[in-house]
Amino acid sequence: MKIIQATGQTCNQFWIYSHYFAESLASGDKIMILAPDIALKDYPNLTKQRFLKYPFYNKLGVSVLSYKRYVRILNLVFANKITIRIFTYLFKLIPKVSFVEGHMEAFTSSKKSKYKKELKKIFKPTDVVVDFVDKFIKEKRGLFQVIVGVHIRRGDYQTWHNGKYFYTDEEYNKIIGQLKILFPNKRVGFLICSNEKIYLENFNNKDVFFFKNSSAAIDLYGLGLCDYVVGPPSSYSAWASYYGNIPLYFLKDINNRISLDQFFIDEFPWPPLNIDKK
């Protein structure tokens, strides 16, 4: 049995866990996660797997403390550096049980491609999310022949890599203009998703739209239903590409002239150490 605590935000954790899950699907070995990610409630199949257990996550704790508070407490207790250091040493003394602090690129499973269908089921969002997004995209399919998902990453990207991948709405406008030219004689729509408020009036294109009353799960699933995904290097847009099996383009250089041959579909388009190879 492996006790795994992945690091990073939601999609970093999805990437990390997916490799270990693929191994467990092949071997039947059990996995235990002590501190779940805050997005757990949006992905109910994660709590329904025979090989996967969350020993400290339960309905009683949620009802007493509220979901967000309970998950945050579990992460404060089990995902802090001191606890991880103790567990790393302690579980070396216990036979047949190993503790892993999961980092991006620390472990890559060769079985991930084989079990992609099963992994997609495990990481499927709630029916509410799926039904809402499916209906929305279906309506847009009636208007557009091609839909490009544009992931506008803000927030922490203002400082990550010294803001190298933090772009303005004006710069995204130029990117959208470039992308439109790639599909001559076709009606092209653009689904914009962001971790900050979107102001449509900042975009000059009438074919730009977004999810009202959105969430991270809605945006992520929606991007995966587009025909193409564009965004700064991020595990979020990379996961959408992986989940939807759609071509991805990383905005590494905002001044680069985009062409369709620069998009790629890759089983492992993340973590970020690989982005300069694309």
Side-chain angles (χ1 to χ4, degrees):
M1 182 178 71
K2 281 187 172 65
I3 301 174
I4 305 172
Q5 188 56 53
T7 57
Q9 298 186 42
T10 298
C11 285
N12 276 19
Q13 294 197 24
F14 281 6
W15 279 111
I16 293 166
Y17 285 132
S18 64
H19 290 286
Y20 289 101
F21 290 178
E23 289 294 312
S24 287
L25 288 168
S27 67
D29 291 342
K30 304 296 182 182
I31 289 177
M32 189 178 292
I33 297 174
L34 304 182
D37 182 73
I38 195 67
L40 181 65
K41 67 179 178 62
D42 295 318
Y43 299 88
N45 289 345
L46 284 169
T47 60
K48 299 176 181 179
Q49 306 305 311
R50 291 183 178 181
F51 70 88
L52 179 60
K53 301 296 180 185
Y54 295 85
F56 299 106
Y57 178 80
N58 55 67
K59 292 182 180 179
L60 178 61
V62 172
S63 62
V64 172
L65 297 172
S66 82
Y67 172 79
K68 286 186 177 180
R69 185 180 300 173
Y70 184 43
V71 171
R72 284 171 181 164
I73 289 174
L74 290 178
N75 276 272
L76 284 172
V77 173
F78 294 111
N80 69 80
K81 292 182 179 179
I82 295 175
T83 302
I84 288 173
R85 195 173 298 140
I86 292 172
F87 282 174
T88 300
Y89 173 77
L90 180 63
F91 284 104
K92 288 180 180 179
L93 306 176
I94 301 176
K96 298 182 180 181
V97 179
S98 60
F99 177 81
V100 178
E101 183 184 11
H103 291 280
M104 198 67 73
E105 281 199 326
F107 172 71
T108 299
S109 172
S110 61
K111 301 176 178 64
K112 190 172 175 180
S113 296
K114 179 180 179 180
Y115 290 99
K116 183 171 183 177
K117 183 178 180 180
E118 289 81 358
L119 289 170
K120 285 189 64 174
K121 289 180 180 178
I122 293 172
F123 288 101
K124 180 184 176 183
T126 63
D127 290 341
V128 171
V129 168
V130 170
D131 292 345
F132 170 74
V133 175
D134 283 351
K135 181 180 179 181
F136 181 89
I137 295 298
K138 183 178 180 180
E139 290 174 353
K140 297 303 179 184
R141 291 284 179 198
L143 301 173
F144 304 106
Q145 295 168 292
V146 177
I147 297 178
V148 180
V150 180
H151 177 213
I152 299 178
R153 181 68 177 263
R154 297 274 171 75
D156 58 332
Y157 268 42
Q158 190 165 8
T159 56
W160 189 63
H161 281 246
N162 296 316
K164 181 179 180 180
Y165 305 114
F166 186 91
Y167 306 126
T168 65
D169 285 351
E170 183 180 359
E171 288 172 317
Y172 279 107
N173 257 322
K174 293 179 180 178
I175 293 299
I176 288 172
Q178 281 194 52
L179 293 168
K180 199 172 183 69
I181 296 173
L182 298 181
F183 306 96
N185 304 317
K186 289 189 176 182
R187 299 188 305 275
V188 186
F190 298 90
L191 170 65
I192 294 183
C193 299
S194 179
N195 58 336
E196 288 191 357
K197 187 174 181 179
I198 297 171
Y199 297 92
L200 277 186
E201 61 268 23
N202 292 346
F203 297 90
N204 301 324
N205 199 308
K206 63 182 180 180
D207 299 326
V208 172
F209 50 88
F210 68 101
F211 294 111
K212 294 181 180 179
N213 301 317
S214 189
S215 67
I218 287 173
D219 281 352
L220 187 61
Y221 182 67
L223 287 173
L225 292 183
C226 296
D227 299 301
Y228 298 86
V229 176
V230 172
S234 163
S235 61
Y236 193 88
S237 50
W239 184 264
S241 170
Y242 168 76
Y243 193 89
N245 196 38
I246 55 175
L248 169 67
Y249 175 80
F250 277 143
L251 290 169
K252 295 180 286 184
D253 180 359
I254 199 67
N255 296 312
N256 179 57
R257 196 71 186 173
I258 304 173
S259 60
L260 286 177
D261 61 4
Q262 294 172 342
F263 285 79
F264 65 94
I265 298 180
D266 192 337
E267 287 295 304
F268 308 104
W270 193 258
L273 289 182
N274 293 330
I275 63 174
D276 292 329
K277 299 177 183 178
K278 301 297 179 183

